[in-house]
Amino acid sequence: MRISGRSALGPTFICICLLISGIVAAAVGTTPRAFGQTASSDQPTVPAPAQAGGVPSQKTSASVNTEAITRDLNQELGLDLNAKTADWRQHLDRLESDLRRPHLRYSELNAYREELQRVRAEIKELANRVPTRLDANKAQLNLLGPAPAAGQPPEPEQIAHNRAELNYRLGLLSAAEAAAKSTDLRIDHLFNTIEDIRRRNFASILLQPIPGVYAYETWSRLPDYIPTALERLRDLVDGWWEGVPDRQEIARIGLEASLLFLVLSFAGWRGVRSLRRWQGEGEPPFWRRASSAAGVVLLRASPVAVPVVFAYAMLATEQRLPDRLDWLFYLTAEMAVIIFTVAALVTTTLAPRARAWRLIPVSDAGAARLCGLIILLAFVYGLTTLLYAITRLVQAPFALTIAVALPSSLLVAGLVVAILRTPVRSENPAAPSMRLFRTVRTVVWTIVAAIVACALAGYLPLARFLAQQLVVTGSILALVYLLLLWVDGFAQSVTDDNAVAGGWLKQRAHLERSRREQLALPLSLLLKLAVLVLSVPFIMLQWGYTWPDIQDWYRQLFFGFHIGNTPVTFGALLASIIVFGLGYAAARLFQGWLDVQVLQPAGISGGVRHSIRTGVGYVGILIAALAAVSYAGFNLSSLAIVAGAFSIGIGFGLQNLVNNFVSGLILLAERPIRVGDLVVVGGEEGYVRKISVRSTEIETFDRAHVLIPNASFVSDKVKNWTLRNSVRRVAISIGTAYACNPRQVREVLLKVARSNPDVLHTPEPVVDLREFGASSLNFILYVFIDHISKTVRVRTDLSMAIFDAFAEAGIEIPFTQTDVNIRNIDRLHQLIADYAAQQQEESPQTSRRRFAKRPAVAD
């Protein structure tokens, strides 16, 4: 079995789960309900809320009008603290008593939760009003100063009276705040109690076997039950139809829905052809396939989904359908939306007839087989869900419900097995995605086996629940996976010049491909995080949670909860990160616009342009950081404490980093070096390529990139060849023989220098007779060139021209040589002659001795 490494979950798992939003809507409407359970009586003791209007703990002067203070405070808060806290306490006492009753139904638990939500909203409203008044009250007390200690002269009567009133008001506000916190904790406890009851009810229903699943009496009466159920259904529809006052209106709704179907079908046919058009070479890239897939799915699903939803909405609005008939029409419309939406999705994703537009790499036979099986699975799921609901609507006998639930669970399991056994291919079987794919296959096989075992063992609620979760939860995960694929395609389009996003960023924002690749990574991660966060509620709905539960958790997650006295707000932190990212991106876009539209047309040099760009970037980052910190809820005035702690850290371990940072700012402000300058610092010589926050990048003549700390350019000696201009002096040393005329040598050198087109005439070339050397007269030719980059070429050209000119003029260039002088040359001649005569005398005798020693040779 083979599958492409691009698919993170594997095509088979995607195809198993590919039942998108229609099925999600169906599952939301068919979330398992709890029917009864006894509440637990062992509840922890929660302290009762304090009396907001009670007498505070402070000692109150008899002259203080407590009733007037209480009345004024109630008017400011817009409620009666005593009455409101008493009402809260009564509500919570009643709810605690009700939750101890046995056999609580799902609707009752929802009603209790809504009541708790209402009380919590009132508590939150009061909690938002009290802190500001508490702070103002404390500030007024601070202005009065501390009360006189014992033994000191008493304070004036008016000040003492004001202090007593403020203390009493402070006590009221503190009591109200304590009451709100205590009541809120009590509500949390009641929420947990409701959730415990729900979970126990849910588990008891799922794990309860159905008696008589295989009994003869259950199945023998089915032929009688089916006509009865159909008769009740027909009576339900006929009763509504006979009572319709205006049947022409229903005909008009049907005609409008038919016209809408024809118009959307034609628009979808034209739109799909337009989106699937590719004029480039080869197959369309992945980003093109992913970006067009969303539009193709919408165009293919709309011709059926939109008219069906339109017809149902018009009937429900205009005809005022009875509750049971309204539920029947809703389920029918839902089934149609499910089937055609799934068909549009799988035919677009697998593209059995258009291999070039296939998002998941499977073979043509495998794509066709998977499309058929998945559409059949959607049809079976939608139809069985509708039939199961009809048995409830017409109050059919329980045997008929069993006759629907048992075969439907086994049929769903069989279709999933057929999908699992569909052969697919993979280009890299050892890829990490294949290991994940095998794990997913194992999980799916386990669920299928559990469905079959539970159905055959009589646990039909559990079998139906597992089948529903396999289809619905799997479809949500498949949709999430497809959205992640779309995000990957969008990220690729950002880096591609031929895509709309990439072309716009290149032309408008002037971002090169490398910058766009850097931008694509955080953008794709942010979009993937958003997809995952938004998909979690739909998965939670399938496991028994309700929208109020999910909303409350997300509200706590994104709008803050408390750990002790410390508020934690992940939403604000995430939003601040987004604000910083947007601010940083805006600063980079402004940098590009400023460079292209302002600095370059103004003729500003490259070094100055770079300094301005860098400075604007630092300012933009600072503004983005301050905006992010402020958006996160931090008080900017408290940054002084952070700055103090930061200064201590600088003193101990960050002084070098800060030194380099400040030095970088000095370099940008004073500009002793600029990008493109040729500098010598720290034993390194090269061109300045980049001045960053901490260091400066230098490219040497060997094409090596050296990072030098910015502090070295401020504290050490720096040679900058191009600080003021690019003119450079070139010195060429040359030696001539002593026999040469020095004036002739100077004329020849000046002639050679003046004949070179790269040598400047102002300043003029100069010849310097530097010294009388051991074996030569040493001259130095000084010339000036207009740009330092020509140094090597001009030095080489001048040296070769000097060599040719000296050869033509007969000027000798000496090389290093050593002369040896012998004082008694005649004595040396006599010794050589005596040695030669001695050798001639010894030659005949030596020859005879050598012949005598030669051995005889036998004949």
Side-chain angles (χ1 to χ4, degrees):
M1 185 174 295
R2 298 174 62 83
I3 184 171
S4 175
R6 180 182 294 277
S7 57
L9 298 180
T12 302
F13 176 63
I14 295 169
C15 298
I16 292 173
C17 308
L18 218 50
L19 307 178
I20 56 166
S21 56
I23 300 181
V24 175
V28 173
T30 57
T31 303
R33 303 292 193 259
F35 294 98
Q37 180 66 29
T38 302
S40 176
S41 60
D42 51 345
Q43 300 173 2
T45 303
V46 180
Q51 289 285 349
V55 179
S57 59
Q58 290 89 347
K59 186 177 180 180
T60 306
S61 174
S63 61
V64 174
N65 190 348
T66 57
E67 294 182 359
I69 296 175
T70 304
R71 183 176 60 254
D72 294 341
L73 183 59
N74 288 337
Q75 290 179 356
E76 290 182 15
L77 296 177
L79 50 86
D80 189 343
L81 290 177
N82 272 331
K84 182 57 67 176
T85 53
D87 181 62
W88 292 344
R89 188 167 55 255
Q90 292 176 1
H91 274 83
L92 299 185
D93 291 341
R94 180 177 56 81
L95 288 177
E96 285 182 351
S97 177
D98 291 343
L99 289 175
R100 294 188 182 99
R101 292 189 294 108
H103 307 299
L104 292 174
R105 292 181 299 176
Y106 189 82
S107 58
E108 292 176 330
L109 294 175
N110 279 344
Y112 294 153
R113 184 177 181 85
E114 291 177 359
E115 191 171 353
L116 289 175
Q117 291 285 7
R118 180 183 59 80
V119 175
R120 169 159 282 178
E122 295 177 356
I123 293 174
K124 184 177 181 181
E125 185 178 0
L126 176 63
N128 292 333
R129 297 177 182 179
V130 169
T132 56
R133 290 170 174 81
L134 268 175
D135 295 338
N137 202 96
K138 292 178 181 179
Q140 291 178 359
L141 282 174
N142 292 332
L143 291 177
L144 294 179
Q152 293 184 353
E155 59 185 353
E157 183 178 355
Q158 183 63 36
I159 297 179
H161 180 76
N162 294 340
R163 187 187 303 278
E165 288 184 346
L166 290 175
N167 283 327
Y168 188 82
R169 180 184 173 89
L170 180 62
L172 293 176
L173 291 171
S174 300
E177 186 178 42
K181 291 182 179 179
S182 177
T183 308
D184 192 63
L185 291 175
R186 198 175 177 190
I187 290 175
D188 286 338
H189 167 69
L190 293 176
F191 273 136
N192 294 332
T193 302
I194 292 174
E195 293 305 318
D196 291 339
I197 295 174
R198 279 180 175 173
R199 283 190 288 267
R200 286 195 292 268
N201 288 344
F202 184 66
S204 64
I205 292 173
L206 288 183
L207 300 179
Q208 183 178 2
I210 303 299
V213 174
Y214 300 105
Y216 175 78
E217 293 79 5
T218 302
W219 298 93
S220 62
R221 301 290 300 274
L222 283 180
D224 299 331
Y225 292 155
I226 294 176
T228 303
L230 293 176
E231 183 69 22
R232 292 179 182 178
L233 180 62
R234 184 169 57 252
D235 293 342
L236 178 63
V237 177
D238 291 343
W240 164 75
W241 180 255
E242 292 175 359
V244 173
D246 187 5
R247 299 183 179 180
Q248 293 182 354
E249 184 178 2
I250 298 179
R252 178 178 56 82
I253 293 174
L255 180 60
E256 291 176 352
S258 302
L259 293 176
L260 189 60
F261 168 76
L262 294 176
V263 172
L264 291 178
S265 298
F266 178 75
W269 175 71
R270 293 292 302 272
V272 171
R273 292 187 59 187
S274 177
L275 290 175
R276 287 289 175 87
R277 184 180 297 112
W278 175 252
Q279 299 177 352
E281 297 181 357
E283 295 184 351
F286 179 74
W287 65 262
R288 182 67 174 84
R289 288 177 282 160
S291 61
S292 65
V296 172
V297 170
L298 184 62
L299 291 172
R300 287 178 172 175
S302 297
V304 174
V306 174
V308 168
V309 173
F310 168 78
Y312 167 74
M314 293 297 294
L315 285 175
T317 304
E318 301 294 336
Q319 297 298 322
R320 296 181 181 179
L321 300 173
D323 291 339
R324 291 195 298 170
L325 194 63
D326 179 65
W327 185 243
L328 177 64
F329 285 172
Y330 171 78
L331 292 177
T332 305
E334 185 182 64
M335 183 187 70
V337 171
I338 288 174
I339 295 173
F340 286 95
T341 303
V342 169
L345 185 59
V346 296
T347 53
T348 302
T349 304
L350 297 175
R353 298 181 181 179
R355 186 174 186 178
W357 297 94
R358 192 171 300 162
L359 292 179
I360 302 174
V362 296
S363 61
D364 294 340
R369 175 184 169 90
L370 289 174
C371 278
L373 289 174
I374 293 171
I375 295 174
L376 181 59
L377 179 62
F379 177 78
V380 169
Y381 176 82
L383 180 60
T384 54
T385 302
L386 177 61
L387 293 177
Y388 186 83
I390 289 175
T391 60
R392 304 287 298 273
L393 288 174
V394 299
Q395 298 178 352
F398 192 66
L400 191 58
T401 304
I402 295 176
V404 174
L406 179 61
S408 64
S409 301
L410 296 176
L411 186 57
V412 168
L415 290 174
V416 173
V417 170
I419 293 173
L420 287 173
R421 294 181 61 84
T422 301
V424 294
R425 62 180 179 86
S426 172
E427 298 176 358
N428 185 11
S433 60
M434 283 301 300
R435 293 194 294 268
L436 180 61
F437 170 65
R438 296 189 188 98
T439 303
V440 172
R441 281 176 56 88
T442 303
V443 173
V444 174
W445 274 109
T446 304
I447 296 175
V448 170
I451 292 173
V452 175
C454 293
L456 297 179
Y459 290 88
L460 291 184
L462 181 58
R464 186 173 180 275
F465 175 76
L466 291 176
Q468 175 183 336
Q469 297 308 314
L470 180 62
V471 174
V472 180
T473 305
S475 67
I476 297 173
L477 295 177
L479 182 60
V480 169
Y481 174 74
L482 293 178
L483 290 176
L484 295 179
L485 284 182
W486 180 85
V487 171
D488 290 336
F490 177 74
Q492 291 183 14
S493 68
V494 171
T495 61
D496 196 331
D497 296 340
N498 297 324
V500 176
W504 184 86
L505 290 175
K506 180 180 180 180
Q507 297 176 2
R508 299 294 183 180
H510 304 284
L511 294 179
E512 298 297 332
R513 183 181 179 87
S514 58
R515 294 293 181 87
R516 283 182 277 132
E517 290 177 352
Q518 296 174 357
L519 177 64
L521 178 61
L523 184 61
S524 63
L525 292 178
L526 181 62
L527 292 176
K528 289 181 179 180
L529 177 63
V531 170
L532 296 176
V533 170
L534 294 177
S535 64
V536 170
F538 295 99
I539 297 176
M540 294 176 64
L541 286 172
Q542 315 314 313
W543 292 90
Y545 296 99
T546 60
W547 277 114
D549 300 330
I550 299 172
Q551 290 173 359
D552 186 53
W553 290 340
Y554 268 68
R555 188 182 301 109
Q556 292 181 358
L557 178 64
F558 289 100
F559 297 99
F561 58 92
H562 288 77
I563 300 178
N565 294 325
T566 303
V568 180
T569 308
F570 289 106
L573 294 177
L574 180 61
S576 64
I577 295 174
I578 296 175
V579 168
F580 177 78
L582 293 176
Y584 179 77
R588 299 305 297 266
L589 291 176
F590 180 75
Q591 274 184 300
W593 174 85
L594 182 67
D595 185 32
V596 176
Q597 302 295 333
V598 178
L599 300 180
Q600 187 174 359
I604 300 176
S605 63
V608 179
R609 284 171 55 191
H610 177 77
S611 300
I612 295 175
R613 279 174 51 90
T614 307
V616 169
Y618 289 159
V619 173
I621 293 174
L622 179 61
I623 294 175
L626 293 177
V629 170
S630 177
Y631 194 86
F634 294 100
N635 189 359
L636 296 181
S637 61
S638 62
L639 291 179
I641 301 175
V642 180
F646 189 65
S647 63
I648 297 176
I650 293 173
F652 284 103
L654 300 178
Q655 53 183 349
N656 292 331
L657 179 61
V658 176
N659 185 18
N660 291 323
F661 176 75
V662 175
S663 299
L665 297 180
I666 294 174
L667 294 179
L668 293 175
E670 295 185 355
R671 293 191 299 112
I673 61 171
R674 295 162 298 183
V675 175
D677 286 353
L678 180 62
V679 297
V680 180
V681 58
E684 300 289 344
E685 181 176 7
Y687 292 96
V688 177
R689 296 306 183 195
K690 183 179 180 181
I691 303 175
S692 59
V693 176
R694 188 192 65 85
S695 61
T696 298
E697 180 182 342
I698 292 179
E699 182 181 0
T700 64
F701 299 122
D702 298 329
R703 299 296 182 182
H705 293 264
V706 182
L707 298 179
I708 298 178
N710 290 331
S712 300
F713 291 92
V714 177
S715 59
D716 297 344
K717 294 181 180 179
V718 179
K719 179 187 289 186
N720 192 341
W721 291 100
T722 57
L723 178 61
R724 304 301 178 191
N725 52 59
S726 299
V727 176
R728 179 173 180 179
R729 188 182 72 171
V730 179
I732 301 177
S733 300
I734 187 70
T736 62
Y738 274 92
C740 299
N741 186 354
R743 294 178 179 81
Q744 182 186 9
V745 173
R746 184 180 63 179
E747 294 298 330
V748 172
L749 291 175
L750 292 177
K751 181 179 179 181
V752 170
R754 291 167 181 160
S755 62
N756 192 300
D758 293 323
V759 174
L760 297 178
H761 297 284
T762 304
E764 294 183 351
V766 177
V767 176
D768 178 21
L769 178 56
R770 175 57 56 91
E771 63 179 355
F772 295 94
S775 59
S776 63
L777 296 174
N778 296 328
F779 295 85
I780 299 179
L781 172 63
Y782 295 104
V783 298
F784 291 88
I785 56 178
D786 58 352
H787 201 277
I788 194 172
S789 61
K790 302 178 181 179
T791 302
V792 176
R793 178 168 58 83
V794 171
R795 179 183 287 113
T796 302
D797 292 343
L798 289 176
S799 299
M800 297 176 66
I802 290 172
F803 183 84
D804 295 338
F806 277 13
E808 182 179 354
I811 298 175
E812 180 183 357
I813 300 176
F815 52 88
T816 302
Q817 59 184 2
T818 302
D819 295 335
V820 179
N821 296 323
I822 300 176
R823 298 180 180 179
N824 195 352
I825 189 66
D826 296 333
R827 176 61 178 168
L828 180 60
H829 289 168
Q830 183 63 36
L831 291 175
I832 292 173
D834 294 342
Y835 180 77
Q838 183 180 1
Q839 291 295 326
Q840 290 178 359
E841 292 177 358
E842 292 179 355
S843 294
Q845 298 178 0
T846 302
S847 299
R848 287 194 297 269
R849 285 197 299 268
R850 291 176 179 174
F851 180 79
K853 293 179 180 179
R854 182 177 300 172
V857 179
D859 294 337

